[in-house]
Amino acid sequence: MRSHLSMPIKRVLAAVSLVAALALAGCSSADGESDQTDTSAGAETGVPEADLEGLPDVVAEVNGDEITLAEFTRNYEGQLQQAAMQSQATGEDVDQDALKEQVAGLLVDNHLLTQAAMKAGIEPSESDIDDELAGLAEQNGLESGDDVLAALKEQGLSEDEVRADLATQFQVSTYIEQEADIAAPSDEELQQQYDALVEQQSAAADAGGEIPPFEDVKDQLADQAKMQQENEAAQGIVEQLRDGADITIHL
């Protein structure tokens, strides 16, 4: 039985793998089939049309590397989809100007981390990317990496784009693991985390089903704890990389 403990796609920063958010949006419909989502069809999907009018062909430059409009657009539309879902819950309209600034900043951070990873000699093999795809499939209840590619293709993402995103994700995650002191949580810490979730579930007025036994979700909880440490470490590393970096954003 899948519960709300099922982890989102591993990511270090929100924009490291926005394909992850698209995968969750398209791969977890009630009947298990992927949903086709057109982010421009606001009336049907609740997602406003991306307002990208006037943006230049090069949205930002990071130490000489260009963040193109195509890269920005693909990531921005994924974030806009998430923001629209959140806005439906809050009743507030999406502030696209603020969102564009946020996405540009996250893409800058990703480029800084990727540059550092490449400087450290971290280059993913095809096998590494295949492993990332397999993990993506498992986390979303799909049979294989091919199923992930098929679901994302329906949302307009080519296999090359997906594999490029996953290569970046691998580089960044590996680099942070090398640079940061990521400690595996103890069984006691995981039990405390699990007990807190059970208590939250019990207190929730709209609780949807029981949480699986501790042993069944122990590995997921450990992955979540590790991911949280990676996120915190990434923020610290990015701050250091930004110091002295040559960054220009054209928004």
Side-chain angles (χ1 to χ4, degrees):
M1 172 181 175
R2 293 176 64 83
S3 75
H4 70 284
L5 279 174
S6 180
M7 284 180 57
I9 302 305
K10 176 183 177 185
R11 72 188 74 180
V12 180
L13 294 174
V16 166
S17 182
L18 291 178
V19 63
L22 293 176
L24 282 175
C27 300
S28 47
S29 61
D31 59 5
E33 298 179 356
S34 62
D35 296 328
Q36 296 187 26
T37 302
D38 180 358
T39 56
S40 67
E44 296 180 4
T45 66
V47 180
E49 183 175 355
D51 179 13
L52 301 174
E53 185 177 355
L55 292 185
D57 291 338
V58 176
V59 174
E61 296 153 321
V62 185
N63 294 325
D65 285 350
E66 294 182 347
I67 297 176
T68 65
L69 179 59
E71 178 185 357
F72 179 86
T73 299
R74 181 162 57 91
N75 285 281
Y76 179 77
E77 288 179 343
Q79 281 289 68
L80 180 61
Q81 183 177 357
Q82 291 188 77
M85 293 171 63
Q86 295 172 357
S87 70
Q88 290 175 4
T90 63
E92 298 180 0
D93 293 335
V94 177
D95 184 341
Q96 291 207 43
D97 288 336
L99 187 62
K100 281 182 276 193
E101 295 281 353
Q102 178 185 3
V103 171
L106 289 169
L107 285 171
V108 166
D109 292 346
N110 289 338
H111 275 253
L112 288 170
L113 287 165
T114 304
Q115 289 170 359
M118 294 180 66
K119 188 176 181 180
I122 300 171
E123 289 286 353
S125 65
E126 290 300 310
S127 177
D128 292 326
I129 298 175
D130 287 340
D131 289 343
E132 292 287 323
L133 266 174
L136 200 61
E138 181 179 358
Q139 291 164 13
N140 285 280
L142 299 175
E143 292 294 328
S144 67
D146 287 341
D147 290 339
V148 172
L149 293 173
L152 292 173
K153 183 178 180 179
E154 291 184 354
Q155 297 187 51
L157 289 172
S158 70
E159 179 175 350
D160 287 344
E161 289 174 325
V162 175
R163 295 183 76 88
D165 278 356
L166 293 177
T168 298
Q169 178 169 297
F170 177 88
Q171 285 180 303
V172 170
S173 296
T174 303
Y175 176 71
I176 290 172
E177 288 173 1
Q178 290 183 0
E179 294 295 309
D181 184 16
I182 306 296
S186 66
D187 287 349
E188 181 180 357
E189 290 172 330
L190 292 177
Q191 183 67 59
Q192 291 175 350
Q193 186 177 349
Y194 177 81
D195 292 342
L197 286 171
V198 171
E199 184 176 349
Q200 292 173 10
Q201 179 81 347
S202 299
D206 58 347
E210 296 181 359
I211 295 180
F214 172 69
E215 291 299 328
D216 291 352
V217 297
K218 180 179 175 181
D219 289 344
Q220 290 182 343
L221 292 173
D223 286 342
Q224 287 179 337
K226 179 182 177 183
M227 186 169 57
Q228 182 176 353
Q229 291 185 67
E230 286 183 347
N231 287 338
E232 294 171 354
Q235 295 295 342
I237 292 172
V238 163
E239 289 179 7
Q240 295 177 2
L241 293 174
R242 275 182 171 268
D243 187 19
D246 184 8
I247 300 170
T248 304
I249 298 178
H250 304 289
L251 290 181

